[in-house]
Amino acid sequence: MDQKDRPWEKIYQTVNRVSPIPKEVWKKSEQLYTIRKLEYGDFLIKQGAQPTEFAFVFSGVLREYYLTDQGNEYIKSFNFPGDFTGSYFDLLTEQPSTCNIRAITDCELAVAKFSEFRKLFSQDIAWERLGRIFAENLFLKKARREYELLALSAEERYDLLLESRPDIEELVPQYHIASYLGITPVSLSRIRAKRKKD
């Protein structure tokens, strides 16, 4: 990405929508980021490795997933342009990553060291407030995901996914969508066929 395009401005706009932060305060964080490109199949974070970075997605799609000892894959979320991604639980606990974060398409990211970002919290109340709101949003996202998996049918989960992300079937393969919904690709095909009939 051409630096003339001011890529950090995209990050600032996203952050500012979460929690307003003065531009002069934000400027201190720009030096933390570096541009990184991932090709299809590349890992940002590997399960079992020590995570140290988080990233902002400029372009492309990534998936966050767990891989069991039996080789079964369970997708917990997708990351689209404008999203932040990182194994936050493991970054906070400083433990080996419990999940993989891997590119579904070619991606362009802004990557930063989490330890350097956390140092900003003590420099201005705006950073501390941002960190708190991000943590609250992650908790809400996790609670919503648990509710959907435990209380809703696969068809209801599919409807909610399409409602929140109408373009997902153009961006993400069907077998990944099925994994995210907690069903088999065959079950997803049946749901899609039923919707077309209705």
Side-chain angles (χ1 to χ4, degrees):
M1 180 177 294
D2 193 331
Q3 293 296 332
K4 294 177 182 177
D5 292 338
R6 299 297 299 151
W8 314 139
E9 185 64 26
K10 293 181 181 180
I11 308 176
Y12 174 69
Q13 289 171 2
T14 300
V15 167
N16 212 41
R17 284 194 295 270
V18 175
S19 179
I21 188 165
K23 200 64 177 281
E24 63 274 13
V25 174
W26 163 256
K27 286 285 186 184
K28 296 179 182 178
S29 74
E30 291 184 359
Q31 62 186 349
L32 301 183
Y33 293 94
T34 57
I35 301 297
R36 183 180 302 168
K37 292 185 178 182
L38 298 182
E39 295 182 353
Y40 167 80
D42 286 349
F43 287 89
L44 175 65
I45 295 174
K46 278 191 175 183
Q47 189 170 323
Q50 187 70 46
T52 59
E53 302 171 324
F54 68 98
F56 178 85
V57 183
F58 285 125
S59 64
V61 183
L62 302 98
R63 74 186 193 275
E64 298 184 19
Y65 66 97
Y66 304 110
L67 190 65
T68 68
D69 292 338
Q70 293 73 39
N72 297 318
E73 182 181 304
Y74 297 96
I75 295 179
K76 69 176 208 171
S77 65
F78 298 108
N79 307 128
F80 299 97
D83 289 343
F84 282 95
T85 183
S87 189
Y88 295 112
F89 169 79
D90 306 309
L91 285 168
L92 288 169
T93 59
E94 298 182 346
Q95 298 295 316
S97 181
T98 54
C99 74
N100 296 286
I101 302 179
R102 195 173 189 183
I104 292 177
T105 66
D106 291 349
C107 298
E108 190 164 36
L109 314 172
V111 179
K113 293 284 186 185
F114 186 66
S115 59
E116 293 301 310
F117 180 72
R118 289 188 80 177
K119 290 177 182 178
L120 297 173
F121 290 3
S122 62
Q123 296 181 20
D124 194 285
I125 190 65
W127 289 115
E128 193 171 287
R129 182 171 59 244
L130 176 66
R132 175 178 57 79
I133 293 175
F134 261 120
E136 290 172 353
N137 287 344
L138 285 171
F139 171 79
L140 293 173
K141 182 179 179 181
K142 182 177 185 296
R144 189 179 302 114
R145 176 85 167 121
E146 289 175 351
Y147 166 74
E148 291 175 5
L149 287 171
L150 295 172
L152 301 183
S153 68
E155 193 165 352
E156 288 171 327
R157 294 197 296 275
Y158 181 60
D159 288 340
L160 280 176
L161 180 61
L162 292 182
E163 186 180 313
S164 64
R165 197 80 211 189
D167 60 346
I168 192 164
E169 294 189 307
E170 301 167 18
L171 302 170
V172 176
Q174 289 294 312
Y175 66 96
H176 284 328
I177 294 175
S179 175
Y180 175 78
L181 295 172
I183 59 177
T184 65
V186 172
S187 296
L188 177 57
S189 293
R190 290 189 186 125
I191 292 172
R192 295 179 74 234
K194 181 183 176 184
R195 283 174 60 91
K196 288 177 181 177
K197 288 180 181 177
D198 296 341

